[in-house]
Amino acid sequence: LALELKQPMRLRRVFEKIIEHTREADGGLSEGKDRLEASVRGAIEQATSNLDGEGLQSCLSAIREWNSNPKFCHIAQFVFMAL
């Protein structure tokens, strides 16, 4: 819905919740950083797997906006790597 309404802040919050939930489900860093990053990337891939061309373009535009802000650049990189 956040993609359809072109609301990058809400979309970022959705991805932040996905990352937070995946980290909690995976047990934090106890399993190893690489495994955790792979789990987060997999969760983001699953969430974005049904994007059409317009949805992908909206997501990439939001990523560009987040990446220009040091506070949000980490989530931008996670989502970009998953796409």
Side-chain angles (χ1 to χ4, degrees):
L1 183 62
L3 271 174
E4 291 176 13
L5 297 175
K6 299 191 190 247
Q7 297 180 343
M9 286 179 38
R10 285 191 185 188
L11 182 61
R12 180 182 44 81
R13 287 188 199 124
V14 168
F15 284 121
E16 286 174 345
K17 290 290 184 185
I18 290 171
I19 291 169
E20 179 183 327
H21 177 72
T22 304
R23 285 181 174 164
E24 288 173 1
D26 222 21
L29 293 174
S30 62
E31 295 291 324
K33 186 177 179 182
D34 292 337
R35 179 167 161 32
L36 177 63
E37 287 181 9
S39 295
V40 169
R41 193 173 301 136
I44 292 172
E45 285 174 358
Q46 184 179 9
T48 58
S49 64
N50 294 329
L51 290 178
D52 60 357
E54 186 177 327
L56 183 60
Q57 183 178 1
S58 294
C59 192
L60 288 172
S61 294
I63 289 169
R64 182 185 61 207
E65 184 177 321
W66 305 334
N67 203 41
S68 65
N69 184 332
K71 189 174 180 181
F72 307 126
C73 65
H74 294 87
I75 190 152
Q77 293 300 309
F78 265 128
V79 177
F80 185 70
M81 286 189 297
L83 292 178

